[in-house]
Amino acid sequence: MKSVAIVGASLAGLSAARALRKQGYAGRLLIIGEEAHRPYDRPPLSKEFLAGSIDEEALSLEAEDEDLGAQWLLGTRATALDGPSRTLGLDDGSTLRADGIVLATGASARELPGARRLPGVHLLRTLDDARALRRDLRGGGRLVVVGGGFVGAEVASTARGLGMDVTLVQSGPAPLAGVLGTAMGRAVSLLHVDHGVRMLCGTGVQGLTGTDRVSGVVLADGRTVPADIVVLGIGSRPCTDWLHGSSVALGDGVVCTAAGATSVPGVVAVGDCASWYDPLLGTGRRVEHWSGARDRAPAAVATLLSGGTAGGELPRPPYFWSDQYGVRIQFTGHTGPADSVAIEEGAVDDRSFLAVYRQAGRPVGALGVNRTRSFMRWRRQLAGARVPQQPAVL
Amino acid sequence: MIPVCRLADLPRGEAFRLDTKPPVVVFHTEDGEFYAIDDTCTHQDASLAEGWLEGCAVECPLHASKFDLRTGQADVPPARLPVRTHQVVIEGETIHLVLSDAVPNLPFAAGRGPVAGGAT
Ligand SMILES: Cc1cc2nc3c(=O)[nH]c(=O)nc-3n(C[C@H](O)[C@H](O)[C@H](O)COP(=O)(O)OP(=O)(O)OC[C@H]3O[C@@H](n4cnc5c(N)ncnc54)[C@H](O)[C@@H]3O)c2cc1C
Ligand code: FES
């Protein structure tokens, strides 16, 4: 393999570039990124960076003296891929052929269907988004967060820390219910109540009001919640639209094997854009966590360099954290609506507990709230349980 | 040189935390090597003894920055500064430590919980 192009210059892309060099690849390396910025860390965008306690330099993912011997095409978007010939089309009209391609285009924040992007309305996915929101939050006022995901919850937490009046609106039964299940979603969302955030659950959003600037959020039941700033945290979509017609199979993201191979030889995918097959689930799952984007890159690269023959170990179970109101929330594994969940340690009332999710009696996930030590024990246990159980499951 | 524990008390794959000021952790890797570093992550107040030991690196139990036990360097943020490394000396059946006299890179709010996330 003499040339590799990585599409997407963020955590998954940078981790793939590092893994390529570490695994001995010495050929030409191109990194194509739509954003003009060098790779930066996204989790602080809703936390320390938004709060103003760290600056942009602290977000850099690269080491000071790091040199990967790569050619960076930043501010450049890939617009098409011809799978069989591995030729990329770029938005400057040029094309580029490579022996190997790593798809690492991540995800983008969803827009509210039908709503205009009035001033005062924000999405939060990129550094540019975070700069704009940080500037707006400095003016204070009433913030309405639409959506019950982690990013919205963290924005609510940070904005309360800045002394704003915050309302959280969401259509599900509780924030984070989609990821943690309803019971644990409720338990974790008590943090918002503790810190004086108004919560409106079980109500969708019809639209926004305002002419030169947003003035309110219209709920499904016709009520209007006044707002000076609105943050839409209504989920994300994998950045894979440009791959239609490429012969790379797409589902919810790029469809991959358990080691990152796509349906096209010489093309692998990793990070938020990729749906890797999980043998324990018996299906593919797009895992949108920081640690997956970093930790799965070496396996994807090994697959690429070996032409798909590298076996590779099962990746560790998914892990993510969220920091809200100074409380550490950690989750590992998978959970579905049919799983049971039990508090094994601590108590919800103390805002310090550890809960374990089980599927037909077998542990499949764990949630820790201010319980880092015992959470790690469960994380290891769930990781250990993955390998030996594999033959029995297959 | 300070005595830490007996060799038999620290099996491979495990960590031993010392209540020095600041606390230090000694790791015994799966390959049989011993390494010592400051126990507190350089990002926020997390104990690296509770982290995930893999090869000669430990992953912070919170935000998953990985520290190389030989150099103390972190791979990617949120941790940016290296943790201080210390020297391990085995004498007979006992593990000893020679503490570094470098300035430790302790997080801003060590001991007082995280600063970020808009704590009110
Ligand atoms: C505000 C926020 C807070 C978060 N907090 C946490 C947290 O606390 N814990 C946690 O585990 N995870 C968190 N995450 C998730 C984590 O940041 C992601 O899982 C991680 O960034 C995924 O990395 P990635 O490289 O796959 O994708 P991304 O980081 O999304 O990067 C993809 C890159 O590809 C570029 N790109 C897209 N399409 C193209 C194209 N056609 N051509 C060229 N370039 C393209 C994009 O511009 C982008 O720069 C958070 C995310 C956000 C947005
Ligand atoms: S506390 Fe260690 S990386 Fe954040």
Side-chain angles (χ1 to χ4, degrees), chain A residues 60 157 195 294 316 319 323 330, chain B residues 59 61-64 117 120:
Chain A
S60 167
S157 153
H195 291 85
R294 180 191 61 181
R316 294 190 290 180
Y319 163 61
D323 297 321
Q330 299 176 284
Chain B
E59 178 183 306
L62 266 187
H63 310 119
T120 42

Side-chain angles (χ1 to χ4, degrees), chain A residues 240-312:
Chain A
T240 50
D241 288 349
W242 67 285
L243 290 169
H244 287 290
S246 66
S247 19
V248 169
L250 301 175
D252 175 28
V254 179
V255 177
C256 292
T257 64
T262 70
S263 59
V264 174
V267 180
V268 297
V270 65
D272 282 15
C273 72
S275 169
W276 284 32
Y277 182 77
D278 185 325
L280 283 192
L281 293 169
T283 163
R285 181 71 68 97
R286 199 163 64 84
V287 175
E288 295 183 80
H289 307 331
W290 188 97
S291 56
R294 180 191 61 181
D295 295 343
R296 292 179 173 197
V301 160
T303 299
L304 184 71
L305 293 178
S306 68
T309 55

Side-chain angles (χ1 to χ4, degrees), chain A residues 109-157:
Chain A
R110 256 177 222 280
E111 301 260 2
L112 193 62
R116 280 181 304 139
R117 273 289 281 284
L118 287 165
V121 180
H122 297 265
L123 298 172
L124 183 52
R125 180 79 200 182
T126 65
L127 175 57
D128 295 347
D129 294 340
R131 282 178 181 162
L133 179 59
R134 178 159 125 161
R135 214 176 305 123
D136 231 5
L137 290 183
R138 285 206 177 126
R142 294 162 301 182
L143 169 72
V144 178
V145 176
V146 179
F150 280 99
V151 171
E154 290 177 353
V155 169
S157 153

Side-chain angles (χ1 to χ4, degrees), chain A residues 328, chain B residues 41-46 48 60-65 67 76-79:
Chain A
R328 281 141 176 199
Chain B
C41 181
T42 60
H43 174 229
Q44 286 175 10
D45 190 14
L48 295 174
C60 173
L62 266 187
H63 310 119
S65 282
F67 293 94
V76 276

Side-chain angles (χ1 to χ4, degrees), chain A residues 118-122 136 140 209-216 227-230:
Chain A
L118 287 165
V121 180
H122 297 265
D136 231 5
T209 59
T211 41
D212 334 327
R213 192 182 162 87
V214 71
S215 62
D228 303 303
I229 304 172
V230 172

